[in-house]
Amino acid sequence: MQSPGREGSLTGSPSRPDRRWIAWAVAAGCVAALLRLLLYDDGFWIDEVQSVDTADRPVGGLLTQTGLADVHPPLYYLTLKLWRFLFGESDAAARCLSILFGAGTVSLFVAWARKQLTPAALSVATLLIVVSTFHVHYSVEVRSYAMLTFLALALAWALSRWVDRPPDRPGRALAAVLVIEIALALTHYYGLLVILAVQPYIFAHQGLSAARVRRWAAGQAVVLGAIAWWIPLLLVQMLDLPAGFTAHLAEGPSVADLFAAWGPASALEPHLVAVAAGVLVVGIAAWGAFIREAETPLEASKGTSARRMMALAALLLVIGPVLALGLLPLSETTFDVVANRVLPTYVVEVVVVLTLLGAVWAHQRLRVRLRLPLAFWIVVVPLVVVGVMQLFKPTLSIRNLLFTLPFVAALLGRRVNTWPRWAAVAVGSVILGLAVPSQLAMPEGFSPRADYRGVSAQIREMHPKAEPPIAMLSRFDVGALAHYSADCSLNGTYRFRCACAADGRCGRRIVGVSDLQAVTTRGRPPFLLLLTREAAMGAEATATAVKKAFPKARVEQHAFRGLVLLDVAR
C-alpha cells in the first residue's frame, strides 16, 4: 500500500529519513508487553498442557506426535521446545514466548503501517491492538495464535518491501517473503489462508511486470516444495484422525462474537456493548478498505530469471512428499498410514502448480487490476474460505482469527487518515474508554481458562496424602490436573497413574470418565469428582445425582474458575 502522502506522516523526507518511528515502535511494544504481564497469572488449561507436553518430547517424537495425534503443524512446538531449553520450564517462561510475539506484533505493526498512516491514524490503529481484549488474552496463551499473528504481519511487511523494491533488486526481499510463508504454513494451518490471501493482491497488482509476477509464482512453488514433506501428515490429520479431535468446534462462534472480538472490549458486559464496539470498529475499517490505492506505473520487465527457483521448486516437489517416511520414527502401522497419503500429496502439488501457471497467464492476458489494499485481502479471503468450510465441516474457533486483528486495525487507520485530528482523538478515546473496563473484567469475562492450578492446590490442602482418587469428567482434561499434581507426569491422555516415588509410594490415582454413570456404578466413597467444561455448568444436578447414588455419603462442593470439585466422603 502506498503512503498517504500527507504532511506529518512518519516517513520523513527523502533526503533525511525520520527515525522517530523506531522509538515509537519500541515504546508501543513495551507498553503492550507490560500490559500483558500485569494482567495475567493464570495456570495452564488443557490445550496449554498439551503444548508443553508435546514440546518436551524428543524432536522425532514431537514431529510424529504432532502429525499423527494433533491437528496442528509442528513449528510452534519446536519453537517452544527451544524456548524452554533456553529459559526454563516454568509456566511464566512458556507464557513469555507468546507475550514476546504479541508485543512484537505491536512493534512490527508500527514499522509496517507508518508509511500508510498519519501519526494520528497510526496511534489509533496501534492503540486498538495494544488494548484489544482479544489480542491481550491470546498473547499470553501457550499456543500458536500469537506466533501466527506475528508471522502474518511479518509477511505483510516483507511483501510490501518486495513490491516497493526496484525490479532489478528483488532478491533478498523475495527470499524474506518466502521464508516467512514457509514459517506461516508450518506454524498454523490458518497460515495457509494468509498465503492464499496475498495471491490476488500480487496477481492483480497494477504495478508489477510480467517478469516480476513469474518470479513470484516460482517462489510460491518453492514454498509448496519446502512444506511438501509435511503435507502427507496434514492429509492424515484431515482424513484419518477421529472426528472427536475437532468435535468441540462443531458449533463455531456467532457473528456477534466475531464482531466483539475485533472491537476493543470483548469481555465487557452487557455483551451487546462489546458487540456494538466491534461493529463500530469493523464499520470504520470496511469504510477504509475501499479508499482506492494510488496509481502505480507499470515497472519495466527487468531482474533475474525465475529458472533457478523453478528448478529448486521441481526438486523439492519431487522429493518432499517422501521425506516424512524416511525422517520420522514411524511404526509399521503409522508408516502405512502416512504412505497412503503420499500419492494424494503429489496430486495436491500438481493442482497448486497448475493454478499458479493459470494465475500467471491471467495476469499477462487478462490484465485484471484491482486497487485494493493488502490488509483487505488478508481479512476477507480467510473469512470467505472459512465461511464456506463451515457449511461442510465446521472447524472455526474464534481464536484462529486473531491474525486478522492487525489488518482490521490497518483498515481502520486508512479511514481515520482522512479525518481531522479531533476525530482521531475521539475514536482513540472511545477505544481506550471501552478497553479499560473490559481488561478489568478479565480473565472471567472472555474465554476464561479453567483454574487447574487452584484446584490442585485445594486438593493438596484438603487431602495431603495420595488418597482419595480423583475422577474427572470430562476425561479429555486429565493432563491439565496432572500437570499441577505432585509427583505426576503425563503418560496417557485418558487414564494414568501418577509416577511412584523412590520409596515405592505412588501418587494419587486420576481417572478420566466419559459420563457420570461410570462414577456412580464403579466408584465407592471416598473419592473426588472434578467437573470440567459442560459438566461444570451442570454441577448442581451432578451433585444431586451423586447424593442419590450414595445416600450415606457427604458431598462438599468447591467452585473454581471453569471447574467444580465434588468431595465425596463416607
Side-chain angles (χ1 to χ4, degrees):
M1 289 185 285
Q2 305 298 316
S3 168
R6 294 177 57 179
E7 184 178 356
S9 66
L10 295 182
T11 57
S13 65
S15 59
R16 193 172 184 179
D18 190 343
R19 301 296 183 186
R20 289 176 297 175
W21 70 267
I22 298 177
W24 189 333
V26 172
C30 289
V31 170
L34 182 62
L35 179 63
R36 285 145 181 79
L37 285 168
L38 289 176
L39 287 178
Y40 281 94
D41 187 29
D42 291 347
F44 291 164
W45 69 298
I46 184 59
D47 281 19
E48 295 173 299
V49 169
Q50 290 173 349
S51 290
V52 297
D53 176 59
T54 302
D56 287 344
R57 298 171 184 265
V59 173
L62 183 156
L63 295 174
T64 304
Q65 168 74 13
T66 306
L68 301 178
D70 204 328
V71 291
H72 297 92
L75 185 57
Y76 171 74
Y77 298 127
L78 292 169
T79 305
L80 181 60
K81 181 179 185 67
L82 177 61
W83 183 267
R84 285 166 68 80
F85 173 77
L86 294 175
F87 300 103
E89 299 182 354
S90 67
D91 290 6
R95 290 211 182 281
C96 282
L97 176 61
S98 294
I99 290 174
L100 180 65
F101 281 122
T105 296
V106 173
S107 296
L108 187 59
F109 179 82
V110 175
W112 173 62
R114 65 188 176 88
K115 292 185 178 180
Q116 311 164 36
L117 307 179
T118 62
L122 182 61
S123 299
V124 172
T126 305
L127 179 66
L128 175 62
I129 305 173
V130 170
V131 302
S132 163
T133 302
F134 187 30
H135 193 264
V136 170
H137 183 86
Y138 289 112
S139 290
V140 298
E141 184 112 323
V142 186
R143 298 294 281 171
S144 57
Y145 314 118
M147 183 174 175
L148 168 67
T149 304
F150 176 82
L151 289 173
L153 192 56
L155 177 60
W157 173 75
L159 188 61
S160 298
R161 286 173 60 86
W162 178 72
V163 168
D164 293 340
R165 280 289 176 91
D168 57 343
R169 297 172 53 202
R172 291 183 180 179
L174 181 58
V177 170
L178 302 184
V179 169
I180 294 170
E181 285 186 318
I182 294 168
L184 265 171
L186 294 176
T187 295
H188 195 288
Y189 292 133
Y190 275 60
L192 296 173
L193 297 183
V194 179
I195 296 171
L196 175 64
V198 303
Q199 305 307 317
Y201 175 75
I202 294 298
F203 285 111
H205 196 285
Q206 56 188 335
L208 296 180
S209 66
R212 194 93 170 267
V213 170
R214 285 195 296 271
R215 288 195 297 276
W216 170 263
Q220 300 310 291
V222 171
V223 171
L224 178 63
I227 66 172
W229 66 278
W230 187 258
I231 295 178
L233 295 165
L234 165 60
L235 295 177
V236 169
Q237 293 174 340
M238 291 176 58
L239 304 173
D240 296 320
L241 291 184
F245 276 80
T246 56
H248 62 290
L249 302 175
E251 293 185 4
S254 67
V255 175
D257 289 338
L258 285 174
F259 277 114
W262 283 317
S266 309
L268 203 60
E269 292 294 341
H271 190 56
L272 182 62
V273 176
V275 175
V279 170
L280 174 65
V281 167
V282 174
I284 298 174
W287 193 10
F290 293 99
I291 297 176
R292 300 186 70 182
E293 294 279 78
E295 290 282 359
T296 304
L298 181 65
E299 66 186 14
S301 292
K302 299 179 180 179
T304 58
S305 170
R307 291 179 181 177
R308 290 184 180 180
M309 281 197 294
M310 292 170 62
L312 176 60
L315 177 63
L316 293 174
L317 292 170
V318 170
I319 67 174
V322 298
L323 280 180
L325 298 176
L327 296 179
L328 299 184
L330 302 172
S331 66
E332 183 177 348
T333 301
T334 55
F335 182 93
D336 292 339
V337 171
V338 177
N340 288 336
R341 298 304 173 190
V342 170
L343 181 59
T345 298
Y346 285 114
V347 174
V348 170
E349 290 180 346
V350 170
V351 171
V352 173
V353 169
L354 290 177
T355 303
L356 288 171
L357 292 174
V360 171
W361 177 88
H363 177 268
Q364 296 176 359
R365 301 292 182 179
L366 302 182
R367 300 187 180 278
V368 175
R369 302 293 183 264
L370 300 175
R371 291 163 58 190
L372 291 170
L374 177 58
F376 170 85
W377 296 108
I378 296 180
V379 173
V380 171
V381 171
L383 288 178
V384 171
V385 173
V386 170
V388 173
M389 290 172 58
Q390 285 292 103
L391 299 177
F392 301 96
K393 186 178 180 180
T395 57
L396 176 62
S397 171
I398 197 168
R399 53 185 176 263
N400 294 332
L401 294 176
L402 180 67
F403 72 89
T404 62
L405 181 64
F407 302 102
V408 171
L411 295 174
L412 172 80
R414 284 171 61 86
R415 175 49 61 183
V416 177
N417 261 343
T418 65
W419 293 351
R421 183 168 297 179
W422 66 265
V425 171
V427 173
S429 300
V430 170
I431 290 173
L432 186 61
L434 292 172
V436 170
S438 179
Q439 298 293 350
L440 294 176
M442 295 175 70
E444 301 288 348
F446 179 81
S447 188
R449 300 180 181 93
D451 186 15
Y452 287 99
R453 184 167 59 187
V455 77
S456 179
Q458 179 72 22
I459 290 172
R460 289 196 301 270
E461 181 179 335
M462 294 190 307
H463 304 283
K465 297 182 179 180
E467 295 294 337
I470 304 172
M472 287 190 64
L473 180 65
S474 95
R475 60 180 183 171
F476 295 102
D477 297 329
V478 167
L481 182 63
H483 181 76
Y484 292 107
S485 297
D487 301 321
C488 284
S489 60
L490 183 60
N491 47 32
T493 303
Y494 303 134
R495 179 189 179 107
F496 64 94
R497 194 178 185 95
C498 297
C500 296
D503 59 5
R505 291 183 302 174
C506 291
R508 194 184 310 275
R509 184 166 177 255
I510 305 177
V511 180
V513 296
S514 56
D515 54 52
L516 184 60
Q517 186 178 1
V519 177
T520 57
T521 57
R522 303 175 194 171
R524 293 291 182 270
F527 63 86
L528 300 172
L529 177 59
L530 183 60
L531 307 177
T532 71
R533 307 191 188 214
E534 292 80 5
M537 301 178 188
E540 293 295 337
T542 301
T544 301
V546 170
K547 291 176 182 178
K548 184 177 180 180
F550 307 108
K552 296 183 179 180
R554 175 176 53 84
V555 180
E556 293 184 0
Q557 186 171 322
H558 305 271
F560 301 83
R561 185 174 61 249
L563 302 168
V564 175
L565 177 67
L566 300 181
D567 187 354
V568 184
R570 292 191 182 95

